[in-house]
Every structure is written in structure tokens, then in C-alpha cells.
Amino acid sequence: MRFGILGPLDVRGPDDSPLDPGGPRPRALLTVLLLEAGRAVSAERLIDGLYGEDPPANAANALQSQVSRLRKRLGLEIETGPAGYRLVVAPDAVDVHRFQRLAREGRQALDTGDHARAAALLHEGLALWRSPAPDDLPRLDELRLGAEQDRIEADLALGGDADLVAEVRELIARNPLGERLYGLLMRALHAAGRPAEALHVFEEARRVLADELGTDPSAELAALHLELLRGQEPVRQRGVPAQLTRFVGRTDELARIDALLADARLVTLTGPGGTGKTRLAIEAGRAREDVCYVELAPLADGAGIPYAILTALGVRQGLRGPQGEEATERLVAALESRDLLLVLDNCEHLIEGAAQVAGVLLGSCPGLRILATSREALGITGEVRCPVPPLAAGPAAQLFGDRAAAVRPDFEAHGHAQVAAIERVCEALDGLPLAIELAAARLRTLTVDELAERLGDRFRVLSRGDRTKAPRHRTLRAVVEWSWELLDEEERDLACRMTVFVGSGLSGGATLDAVEAVCGIPYPEDLLASLTEKSFLEASEGRYRMLETIRVFCAEQLTDDVSGDVSARLRDAHATYFLRLAAEAEPRLRGHEQLPWLARLSSERGNLDAALRHFLRAAPSDGLRLMADLSWFWRLHGLAGERVALARELMDAVGPKAPPGLEEEYALCALNSVMGEGDEARLARADRLLGTIDRQLRLPFTVVLWTLAVGPERSRDERVRAQVGNDPWGRALLAVGLGFQEQFAGRPAASETLFTQALAGFRETGDRWGMANSLDQLGMYADWRGECGRALELIDEALGYARELAAPEETADLLCRRGAVLLHSGAYEEAATDFARAGELARAAGTPEKVAGAMWGMGDAARLSGNTALAREHYETALETSARSWYSVGQTVHIFLGLGRVALAEGRADEADDWFAQAWTLSTSAETQGLELARVAEALASRTDEPEHAATLLGAASALRGQLIVDDPDVTPLELRLRRMLAPQVYKKAFELGGSLRHDAVRGP
């Protein structure tokens, strides 16, 4: 016999048939005996369990009577002894004892590092639970929670799953003080490629523990937080999306796709909607080590394809970088050195754009392979078309049974007749997976035989319809239409209204709040649950999404069944809701709530773009407001260039003059429309308009975008002070702008003071972007003073914020800064590690100029540690990389000097002189800072045999460095260097010269 008490009492006979123990008291008695299966239970405890605080006068006799009835009714062996009553049964026959054994063994396996066995044991144990433990047995719920945490930890160690995030969040909602759960959530989010959210969870845990318990997070949780801060830099999306259902069949198709991809670099899965192309592509990509999935269905035109791929890759545009850099070029740079499978899903509505992007990438990136899904082939050279067939009879029936069990847990195909009925259903549906899933959802109310009969009648009627359509298309449409007709009026109405939301992409669908506000249906939870159960919606992590095939069908019903006025009101309501959301988010993006609101807007990108396009046509002034509120999000998110075309269209729709009261919004739109050369008129229009505003700006980040576009000197404009006003974030921002101005003017002390003020302001508001930028500069100044330890503290804190913001370019810059500090302190090996990590990030981000910067840093580390051969290799790689991109003169000069110093160390003096001469020519023929000229002057001084000339050069270097602070690991303090290099009689003269020379006094040797 088997017994279940982890839920309603369940007793099963040897043949697995259910047995009834009787009324409430026999059930209570059996439950208490089962809790101590195989052990004696005292009469007092049993009486207390049966009667509570009001036992009968003859309680002992009543208990004996109940035990006797239980023996006879179920045939149980219950022994009586001096210690009480003992139910003779093996503990493993009782689910609670089996669960405890599996949980204990699972924990032991976890402790020994056998994660696969731990996961299997814990999954098996937790599957025994059918409901929460009774209120009088809280210990069991505690054991269950511990097992759930152990199982999640094992799953994470095995690679994790996106579903773990939602599961852990649910556990935290029930156990808000569970510190281990916060750690598991941090790890799950980090594993899912959502590092900013992972780090925000630590802050959430700290706040909850302080408010509820008055304590700080444990050392273990703090150590995990530090580990994630220092860990590998995250990407936006890793691999392919997690799926909500089990993958069934298609073994042969997966093998065929693998074989095709081994020989061809572009494979396109073709077939009508509903054949399972998307799911097949996802499963084919799941086994790949480096794969990127891109959903194209939400895109309105092909111009957005490169940006969609960049976003999926986790490549973002640095805030300081140019907005107008060509997205396709950036994409090529990010992929040209990677062996990656790119999955482009749902290409059919953008077939020309998809073909163009695929052609460029395949021609430029030799390690790239593309797996596309489309209703038609892309039609480019080298493409291999792979039609996706319907499911064979066996897998089709298996899929039906799998999905049927999801809606009816007790479903199981019994007997030849029922198996035959399932086969008839799948045959009628042409083996189309989507059609089969929709049909299986009807088993809540129909038997398989009824379903088969109704489908047969349905298709006999439909066969008289449009025979010009492809048979599978007719079949799919028929089953969608049939499922539609089985919805009640409220469900149909909501399904129609849900089509106003962008569809099935990662940023598609809608939250419950959005559905209620936009669709005008109060408390829609039950309707949404019903549509989800009937496969019209997918629900995941608080969002409801429609499969694209169903969305298209429901949109047709919206056109047919809902009046034009209602349809227009829906689009208006959708745009208005997201306008309010953007306005609510805007100030939070600059404060302590920055990370969750970045994530919230990221999940709504598709809907926000759709709202902006609607305003573009219907209400351009509201479009200006929405674009203004989103401008800072786009910059922080990293791909502002994606919205340049929209900004230009919006400016054309508004006209040449700003609407009254929207001058700032109009100027921001103009700034967003600036791509680069050729946009001087738009930039000048924005500059003039902002220059006329003498009030506090509604959006203080306007000053940032303004100065990025026209130059940091704008921060000196007195009008800007009035525009910033008393806003604390704006004042901190103004201090940053002025700090850079003082730095460029050669006044480091004043600059450092301003960056210190800025950091204090950004700490007050909680803005990570501002803190990272301020700490970066303060770390540089500490390094220049020789305070290496302090510099590393500041830069490490900045790195933490950059990683929270998922900003790989800024992270690469900071790692290079950190590497430079380590060089100055003599930690060459550690410095090389930081430069190498920076190079990897920059390479993945498609920024060759930053790759070059990291490479010359690695060259410096190798040269200073004595490995000149490796140094030369790094310098040459940096020079080659810099030749393919924009690159600063100062960095190129540094590479030339590095190559010269390597040549000198290896005894090739003529080659060294040649590199130094090239560095001098470049540094004096371009706009360079004094630091670069000082470096060249010092290198040339080391090569001259004329003391007077050396004194002049070194004196000039001293003057130039006097405008800055020494930051070069090759340079010892000037006085010591002069004493070593020059005869005593010229030392004094050189030092005197150094006090009088200025930048324009430096001349060629």
C-alpha cells in the first residue's frame, strides 16, 4: 500500500486503486500514525490529534474503537503496546518519509558536489508534494523550503534555467526574510544574463533585513555580491529563450539541421505558420556553445534588424561615443572574430532587410553561421533551404498527450479506441504542432472521441471553403478559428484587444497592469488565465504574450468585429498608457530605483516604440513628450542611434517650429535626430533653441545630451546654471561638465574638487551612471599623485556601477584605467589581466579603437616586465587594429613610443629612432595634449648625445607635465631623471629651462 499526506490524505491499495479511510476522525488518526510510520505513538498524542481540547470521558476506549475500525476498513496492521500504537508500514511507502529521505540524500549529494544526482533526488522528492503542509505541521513546510532551495542551487550549478528566476521570486514573496533565497535569486539572474537586476536584489535584501530585523546581510550574501561585482562581465541575452513546455519529437529534423550547418553558413527553416519553425530553431540552437537568438516579429521595418541583433548580443553604444556610428559596421566588428550561430526568427515580413543584413555579416564574419526561420527563403547566395515538415504520427500523438496532460493532469491514453482517436485528431490537423496544441487545450471540456468527431465535422464544412490556400494553412486557420468560436464573448473581446500590444518578442506582450489600463477590463486575471489555458496566450514572468500566428488571426477579428472607433480608442489608450509609464520612469532612471526601472523599460521597448509611432501619426506633440522622457533611457540602454529615423520623422511631422511650451522636448528630438556629418542644421537648431531657455529644464539630462553634441564648453554657459536650477542631479551633472573643463584647461586641483562635488551629489540621488563617471576621474587623479591603493578603490567601485548598468564599453575603459594604475605600482601581471579583459569586452562590443587601447596596455605590461618579444606583438596588433578604425593621435603616439622602446631594449637603435621620429611628427602635426608631447620629448632626449639639446627637451617635458600630473610608468620624477641622464653642469640649466618653457616652445630635434 501507498500513503500520501503531503496534501489531502491519499491511500492506495496494492493495485493503485484509491481507498477511503472513512470520516474526519479516522483520517486524522491515520495521518498521525503515518507521520510516525513504523514507530509507536502514545495514546495521549493520538487522543489529542483526534479530539483536541475536548476529549470524551471514555477517550481511551473511543481511541481503541477508532483503531479497530481503521484496521478492518483498510486491512492495516496496527500493533498495540505499552508505548502506544504502531502502524506497521515501510517509511518509504509514506510520501512524507520518502520526501525526507530524498531531501536528505539530495542535500548530501549537493554537499559533495554531485549536482546531477542532487537535482534528480530533490526533483523526485518535491514532486511528492500536492499542497502546503497542514497548519499544525509548519516543520514540514520548512523542510520543503530547504529542499526547494537545495534543488534550485543544484539546477543553477548544472546551467540553470530562465524559469528559476520566476520560481525564486515566488518563494521570496512567501518568505521575504529568507536570506538564502536572495542569494539564489542573484545567482539565477546573473546566470540568465541579467546582472544589473542581480545586483539590485542585494540592495533589496539589505533594505528588507534592515527594516524587518534591524540587521545587515550576512557575510555570505555580501561575499556573493562582491563576487558578482568582480565577476565576468555580463551580456544582455545568453543563448536561446527558455521554453515553457517540453520539446517533443523532431529528432530527425534536429540532426538534419546540424548536418546542414556543418557545411552551409546560412540555413533557412521554411514553412507556413504553426509548423514549429521557431521551436525547432530554438532547440537546434540550445546545444550550441555560442548562440544568439533574435526575434524579428516585433520590428516594423528592416532598418531595425542590425539594432535588434546588437541588443541581443548585449552590445551597447557607450554614452560618450558618437550616436551616429553605423550599426551594421558595429555589428560586423562585434562578430568578425567570433564562432557564433545567429538565429534570426520570423524573417518573412522583413525578407529584403534580413537578406541584406545576412549577406553583409556572412561576407565579413568567417566564423558566423545563420539559422533563419521564414515562410519563404531569403534568396541569397549560399543559402540552404530546409522545409519543416509536419510531425509524424508518433511524435504528433506524443505532443498531443503531453499538452493534454498539462490541461488535465489525470489524462492518459487508455485502450486502442482512445489511441486511435488521438491519431485521427493529429491526422486531421496535418501534424501541425500549433494546431495540435490548440486542440489539446479543448480536453478540459471534451473527451478525445468528442474532439475527433467535432474536428471531422469542422473540416468537412471547411473543405468547401477557399481551396486556393495551401492545405496546411487551411488546416491551421481552421483550428484557430474553431478554437476562437469556443471562446466566450468576454474572452474573444480581450483576445482582440490584446493585439494592440506588440507580439511575441522578448519585449512584447503586456503586464497585468497594462492589460487592465489599455483594454479597459477591470480585474482581467481570470480572463487572462483562461486564454492562457486555451493556448491563446503565453504567460511568463508576469507578462502575457500572443504567438504571432494567433495574434494575426485575432487582429483580423478586431478589424471585422470591432468598430473603427473602438479600434482607434484602443491604440490611443495603448499610447497614452506608455506615455504615462515613460513619464513615471524618467526621474527614477536618475535615482536609487535606476536598475529596476531600466529593466522595466527594457521589457517594454516594443510597446514604447509602437506608442511613439502612433503619436507620430496621430499626435506629434505627445510624441515629443514621449521621446523626451525616453531619451535618457535610450542613452543608458546603449543604442540611441536606433531611434534616429523616428526622431527625424517626428521633427518633420511637428514642423520647423517648436510647439508652445515644448521647446525643450523639441530640442531633445532634434538632438536625437543628429547622426553625424550632414546634420549640422538640426544640431544648430537645437543649440539655438536651448540657448534661449532661461528657466529650469524639466529634464536635466538635456544638458548632457546638449554638451555631448556641441561640446563640453556649454557647461560654462551661465544660462546652463539657470537651466539646471536646484535639481540635485542636475547640479552634480553641472559639476561633471565643469570638472572636465578645468581638466582640459590644465587645472587638475580645481577639476578634482568639482568631481568630488559631483560624486557627493550622485551618491545622494543614487545614480550609478553619475557615480561611475565621477569615480573614474577621481581614480585617475589619485593615480597621478601616486596613491595607487586609493585609485584602485575608486576605480573598483566605478566598475561595480558600470557592470550593474550592463555597460561593457564603459567597463572596458575602467579596466584599462585600472591596468594603468597597476602598471604604475609595478603589478605588471595583474595589469596585463585587466587589459586582456578590457580587450575581450571591447572586441565583443565591436569597438576596435578600444581593442587597440587594451592591446597597447598589454604591450606596456609585457615590456615593463622584460618580455620585449610579447610587447612588440601586442603593440603591432594594436597598430593594425587602430588602422581599421578611428583612433586618437595620443594613443597612436603611445604605440609608436612603445615600439621604439622595444627596439631600443633589443639593441636596434636606428629602428628606435625611426619610431620616435614618427611619434614626434604625428604629435606636432595634430591636436595633442601636453602629455603626449612630453612623452615624445623625453624619448628623444634619451637618444641625443648633445647635453644642451637634451636639457631643452627635458625642460620642455617638465613644463608640459607641469600642466598635468605625471601618469607615465616609464617616467621617474624629473629631477632624478635629469641627474641620471645629464652631466652636473647641464642639470641646473635644464631644470631652469623647464620652468620657463610652454607648449609652443617645443620644437623638433
Side-chain angles (χ1 to χ4, degrees):
M1 296 179 68
R2 291 188 297 107
F3 304 88
I5 58 178
L6 296 177
L9 181 64
D10 183 37
V11 182
R12 299 278 169 168
D15 61 352
D16 205 37
S17 59
L19 302 176
D20 183 9
R25 287 209 169 99
R27 286 175 173 272
L29 172 61
L30 180 56
T31 298
V32 177
L33 289 170
L34 287 170
L35 283 169
E36 300 292 341
R39 296 193 293 269
V41 184
S42 69
E44 291 78 8
R45 182 179 171 191
L46 291 171
I47 290 170
D48 184 59
L50 284 172
Y51 304 109
E53 297 179 355
D54 190 24
N58 58 344
N61 291 335
L63 172 62
Q64 176 62 44
S65 177
Q66 292 286 359
V67 170
S68 178
R69 291 195 194 99
L70 202 57
R71 287 185 180 122
K72 293 177 182 177
R73 190 176 186 103
L74 298 180
L76 297 175
E77 183 180 353
I78 304 177
E79 296 178 347
T80 306
Y85 296 88
R86 183 174 80 92
L87 176 63
V88 181
V89 63
D92 244 28
V94 185
D95 60 359
V96 66
H97 299 296
R98 180 172 176 79
F99 162 71
Q100 289 174 305
R101 177 182 65 79
L102 291 168
R104 182 174 60 254
E105 292 176 359
R107 179 67 207 183
Q108 291 169 351
L110 187 65
D111 289 340
T112 60
D114 191 349
H115 300 112
R117 183 168 184 269
L121 290 167
L122 292 163
H123 276 282
E124 181 183 352
L126 289 165
L128 298 170
W129 283 81
R130 291 168 289 119
S131 71
D135 291 340
D136 56 345
L137 293 172
R139 183 182 66 86
L140 287 180
D141 265 339
E142 292 176 10
L143 289 173
R144 181 183 187 180
L145 176 60
E148 285 174 323
Q149 292 176 106
D150 288 343
R151 193 262 308 158
I152 291 168
E153 186 169 334
D155 285 346
L156 282 170
L158 293 172
D161 191 302
D163 291 343
L164 290 176
V165 173
E167 185 178 352
V168 181
R169 286 196 188 280
E170 184 179 340
L171 289 173
I172 288 176
R174 300 201 304 263
N175 306 274
L177 300 180
E179 193 170 359
R180 184 184 178 194
L181 288 170
Y182 288 106
L184 291 172
L185 180 56
M186 290 165 67
R187 290 173 56 194
L189 285 165
H190 193 77
R194 297 155 65 181
E197 293 177 68
L199 294 168
H200 176 70
V201 168
F202 180 77
E203 301 300 329
E204 178 187 342
R206 178 157 54 189
R207 185 176 63 253
V208 169
L209 294 173
D211 292 346
E212 298 296 328
L213 302 177
T215 63
D216 292 326
S218 66
E220 292 79 7
L221 194 62
L224 174 61
H225 179 246
L226 185 60
E227 177 186 332
L228 296 184
L229 278 176
R230 292 177 173 174
Q232 183 178 2
E233 286 67 38
V235 294
R236 292 274 177 87
Q237 177 186 335
R238 297 173 59 186
V240 294
Q243 299 300 292
L244 305 178
T245 54
R246 191 164 62 97
F247 183 64
V248 176
R250 301 291 196 193
T251 304
D252 292 343
E253 287 87 343
L254 285 174
R256 185 182 177 206
I257 291 170
D258 283 343
L260 290 175
L261 285 171
D263 296 325
R265 295 183 56 217
L266 171 60
V267 176
T268 303
L269 306 184
T270 59
T275 54
K277 300 186 297 295
T278 293
R279 187 63 187 270
L280 184 57
I282 287 173
E283 294 304 322
R286 193 178 301 283
R288 301 272 170 161
E289 288 187 10
D290 198 0
V291 58
C292 176
Y293 170 85
V294 186
E295 167 64 84
L296 300 183
L299 300 185
D301 58 71
I305 294 176
Y307 292 102
I309 300 173
L310 286 169
T311 300
L313 286 168
V315 175
R316 65 189 296 281
Q317 178 182 309
L319 187 65
R320 302 172 188 168
Q323 173 171 297
E325 60 185 324
E326 174 57 43
T328 305
E329 292 178 5
R330 182 74 176 271
L331 192 52
V332 168
L335 292 176
E336 62 184 350
S337 61
R338 291 179 68 174
D339 293 326
L340 176 128
L341 175 67
L342 181 64
V343 180
L344 298 179
D345 192 22
N346 289 315
C347 298
E348 51 272 349
H349 66 303
L350 305 171
I351 200 74
E352 291 185 6
Q356 182 179 4
V357 171
V360 170
L361 293 180
L362 291 171
S364 306
C365 309
L368 179 70
R369 279 172 164 72
I370 296 178
L371 179 61
T373 74
S374 178
R375 297 188 185 186
E376 60 176 301
L378 300 189
I380 63 177
T381 303
E383 178 182 26
V384 175
R385 184 171 171 269
C386 180
V388 178
L391 284 170
Q398 185 183 0
L399 176 65
F400 183 91
D402 188 80
R403 301 306 188 256
V407 299
R408 273 180 49 187
D410 61 339
F411 177 83
E412 190 174 345
H414 290 294
H416 176 75
Q418 192 170 39
V419 170
I422 292 174
E423 290 175 349
R424 290 201 309 276
V425 168
C426 295
E427 183 180 2
L429 299 176
D430 284 337
L432 291 174
L434 177 57
I436 291 171
E437 293 190 21
L438 286 169
R442 307 314 310 175
L443 291 186
R444 289 181 184 83
T445 55
L446 299 174
T447 66
V448 177
D449 289 329
E450 290 170 333
L451 180 63
E453 182 179 349
R454 295 191 184 198
L455 281 176
D457 291 341
R458 178 75 186 174
F459 290 148
R460 279 192 291 275
V461 172
L462 287 168
S463 67
R464 296 191 292 273
D466 184 358
R467 293 183 178 274
T468 64
K469 294 183 178 179
R472 288 185 204 162
H473 183 82
R474 279 207 314 273
T475 300
L476 179 61
R477 183 171 182 82
V479 77
V480 174
E481 190 171 296
W482 176 67
S483 297
W484 167 264
E485 291 178 358
L486 294 174
L487 301 179
D488 63 31
E489 286 302 318
E490 287 185 320
E491 290 169 339
R492 289 188 195 178
D493 182 43
L494 180 56
C496 280
R497 292 170 184 268
M498 285 290 291
T499 62
V500 75
F501 297 102
V502 171
S504 59
L506 295 175
S507 62
T511 62
L512 177 63
D513 178 64
V515 172
E516 185 171 3
V518 173
C519 298
I521 298 176
Y523 309 110
E525 294 92 331
D526 291 342
L527 287 175
L528 290 168
S530 180
L531 288 172
T532 302
E533 289 173 356
K534 295 171 183 177
S535 297
F536 268 75
L537 294 176
E538 291 181 336
S540 175
E541 295 194 31
R543 298 188 71 81
Y544 297 89
R545 300 180 179 91
M546 271 187 171
L547 290 174
E548 194 63 20
T549 301
I550 294 176
R551 183 172 179 269
V552 170
F553 177 87
C554 292
E556 291 174 358
Q557 311 315 307
L558 177 68
T559 303
D560 294 341
D561 300 343
V562 182
S563 72
D565 289 343
V566 173
S567 180
R569 285 202 300 272
L570 264 179
R571 290 192 294 272
D572 287 342
H574 175 273
T576 300
Y577 173 84
F578 286 103
L579 176 62
R580 288 199 305 269
L581 179 69
E584 181 183 2
E586 187 281 317
R588 290 171 167 82
L589 292 177
R590 296 179 275 113
H592 294 284
E593 299 174 273
Q594 188 174 55
L595 296 181
W597 277 94
L598 270 173
R600 174 78 185 276
L601 291 187
S602 294
S603 69
E604 299 289 5
R605 280 191 347 303
N607 284 309
L608 290 164
D609 284 353
L612 190 53
R613 289 191 184 93
H614 174 73
F615 284 139
L616 178 66
R617 297 185 299 270
S621 292
D622 284 333
L624 288 177
R625 293 185 178 92
L626 179 56
M627 178 166 281
D629 284 330
L630 290 175
S631 293
W632 191 239
F633 162 68
W634 289 338
R635 288 286 180 160
L636 287 175
H637 193 266
L639 288 173
E642 187 175 359
R643 273 71 185 180
V644 169
L646 267 175
R648 291 177 174 178
E649 289 183 53
L650 186 56
M651 285 203 74
D652 292 341
V654 173
K657 292 186 178 180
L662 293 177
E663 291 82 6
E664 179 183 353
E665 288 78 2
Y666 185 85
L668 270 172
C669 184
L671 291 173
N672 284 322
S673 72
V674 173
M675 192 87 172
E677 292 185 10
D679 288 329
E680 292 80 4
R682 288 190 181 89
L683 184 56
R685 193 188 313 178
D687 192 26
R688 285 194 305 271
L689 187 55
L690 288 170
T692 65
I693 300 175
D694 55 4
R695 56 173 170 79
Q696 183 169 334
L697 297 174
R698 181 174 75 87
L699 305 167
F701 63 76
T702 300
V703 174
V704 182
L705 303 188
W706 187 16
T707 55
L708 283 172
V710 301
E713 63 276 2
R714 275 291 181 273
S715 57
R716 288 188 174 278
D717 193 325
E718 285 299 320
R719 190 182 299 272
V720 171
R721 296 182 183 276
Q723 292 173 340
V724 167
N726 295 321
D727 180 82
W729 188 88
R731 290 200 305 272
L733 183 66
L734 183 60
V736 168
L738 293 172
F740 278 116
Q741 286 296 295
E742 292 296 320
Q743 184 183 110
F744 299 155
R747 293 187 287 271
S751 175
E752 186 173 17
T753 298
L754 286 162
F755 280 116
T756 302
Q757 294 172 6
L759 178 60
F762 287 129
R763 286 198 193 282
E764 178 185 347
T765 62
D767 175 36
R768 290 159 176 79
W769 171 84
M771 288 189 282
N773 278 274
S774 303
L775 287 162
D776 179 17
Q777 299 303 308
L778 292 173
M780 178 184 71
Y781 286 132
D783 179 34
W784 284 2
R785 283 195 303 273
E787 300 172 1
C788 292
R790 175 60 178 159
L792 290 175
E793 288 178 10
L794 295 166
I795 294 169
D796 283 345
E797 185 182 353
L799 274 168
Y801 296 133
R803 287 172 178 141
E804 284 184 300
L805 291 169
E809 281 195 54
E810 286 81 354
T811 301
D813 288 339
L814 286 163
L815 284 170
C816 283
R817 178 87 73 198
R818 192 176 193 277
V821 174
L822 292 167
L823 286 183
H824 303 164
S825 61
Y828 304 137
E829 186 175 345
E830 190 179 349
T833 300
D834 278 350
F835 284 124
R837 290 171 63 202
E840 291 169 5
L841 274 179
R843 193 172 289 107
T847 53
E849 70 279 0
K850 294 184 187 295
V851 174
M855 295 307 297
W856 66 249
M858 293 176 69
D860 281 354
R863 177 175 55 79
L864 291 168
S865 62
N867 191 339
T868 55
L870 181 61
R872 184 173 60 255
E873 181 181 330
H874 288 321
Y875 287 139
E876 288 173 348
T877 302
L879 199 57
E880 179 185 355
T881 306
S882 68
R884 293 186 288 115
S885 66
W886 170 88
Y887 203 59
S888 77
V889 170
Q891 290 173 322
T892 305
V893 166
H894 193 120
I895 296 173
F896 287 170
L897 292 177
L899 286 166
R901 287 166 176 152
V902 164
L904 200 60
E906 293 178 341
R908 298 189 303 279
D910 291 343
E911 181 186 335
D913 289 343
D914 182 56
W915 284 119
F916 292 154
Q918 289 187 61
W920 178 263
T921 300
L922 184 60
S923 63
T924 54
S925 63
E927 188 76 23
T928 55
Q929 291 187 0
L931 183 57
E932 277 69 48
L933 281 168
R935 287 170 173 162
V936 177
E938 287 157 353
L940 291 169
S942 70
R943 299 296 302 137
T944 181
D945 295 328
E946 301 176 16
E948 290 283 336
H949 187 205
T952 302
L953 288 168
L954 288 166
S958 171
L960 294 167
R961 288 182 176 279
Q963 299 175 26
L964 301 162
I965 302 174
V966 175
D967 76 330
D968 194 327
D970 293 293
V971 179
T972 56
L974 179 63
E975 184 171 352
L976 178 60
R977 188 171 180 82
L978 289 171
R979 287 185 185 278
R980 288 177 178 172
M981 292 183 60
L982 304 176
Q985 61 266 29
V986 298
Y987 157 66
K988 184 176 180 181
K989 182 175 181 179
F991 211 67
E992 290 171 353
L993 282 170
S996 60
L997 290 175
R998 292 295 180 263
H999 190 147
D1000 57 4
V1002 181
R1003 294 291 183 266

